Amino acid sequence: MGYYISVQPNVNLYVEDVNPQGCKTIVFIHGWPASHRMFEYQFNQFPCRGYRCVGIDVRGFGNSDKPWEGYDYDRLADDIRCVMEAMGLEDVTLGGHSTGGAIAIRYMARHKGYGVSKLALFAAAAPSLIQRPYFPYGLPAEAVENIIQETLTDRPKMLRGFSEMFFFQYITQPFSDWFFQMGLQAAGWATAAVANSWLDEEKLFSDLAEIHVPTLILHGHHDRVCLFPLAIAQNEGIRNSRLVPFKYSGHGLLYDQRDKFNQELIEFIEA
């Protein structure tokens, strides 16, 4: 079941709600520059276990509206709150991949975990995707600046290059094309604006300490986008968190080790 939820005047987010009668609810926030469709191989399986899966397309991406403004983490977290309230969601597991993980962290801090009983972070872009003087573990800022410049001049080329960084395991050309098309569905200005947020955002460091629910951290050892030390920093900064390294995965751990990913998440939800 898919429908739109208003989060601001003239701004509506697309939400996919699979198995609304499920016993437990998982809310998925996708990574940059994809959509809720990136969780296809969770949506195929989790409802079979009785779970309700709610996938949100972040503004500017997927089927959601694509306004010119509103791509900072505060606004993106506020959008999630609007969805949670509109759908009456409570006692959910909130899961976010990459930038979606960063948005989930900001949501937990800014909205005091409203409606969330557990948090799951998948290759999350936190506490900082880029290197900073006090945090040398991210990407060079120049790498992100290049992504932004390529987005504004040759976005298809940028997306192809990004997909080459995304996976560690072999993927077929048709699968690569499918992933590429998800990125093309986003607005170019939204793609660049969210990437620019990676450069500006520093509050995630303090946000980690504001998380007070059980937290699962899944992260690939071979991640070339959100490097593995980010997961260690998350684990150190979030009380009651558990880090599960994925030895044979890159940034796309939910594809690289799909079965392990699904099983770890299911065990966390059922615990």
Side-chain angles (χ1 to χ4, degrees), residues 218-241:
L218 307 180
H219 212 106
H221 266 302
H222 303 279
D223 197 325
R224 293 190 288 161
V225 180
C226 297
L227 306 184
F228 190 77
L230 272 65
I232 297 174
Q234 294 162 29
N235 188 212
E236 292 174 347
I238 301 174
R239 292 185 294 275
N240 196 18
S241 65

Side-chain angles (χ1 to χ4, degrees), residues 16 18 28 36 39-47 53-55:
E16 190 77 31
V18 180
F28 292 92
H36 79 278
F39 296 109
E40 174 173 336
Y41 298 98
Q42 287 67 56
F43 279 49
N44 288 348
Q45 296 296 323
F46 282 52
C53 293
V54 176

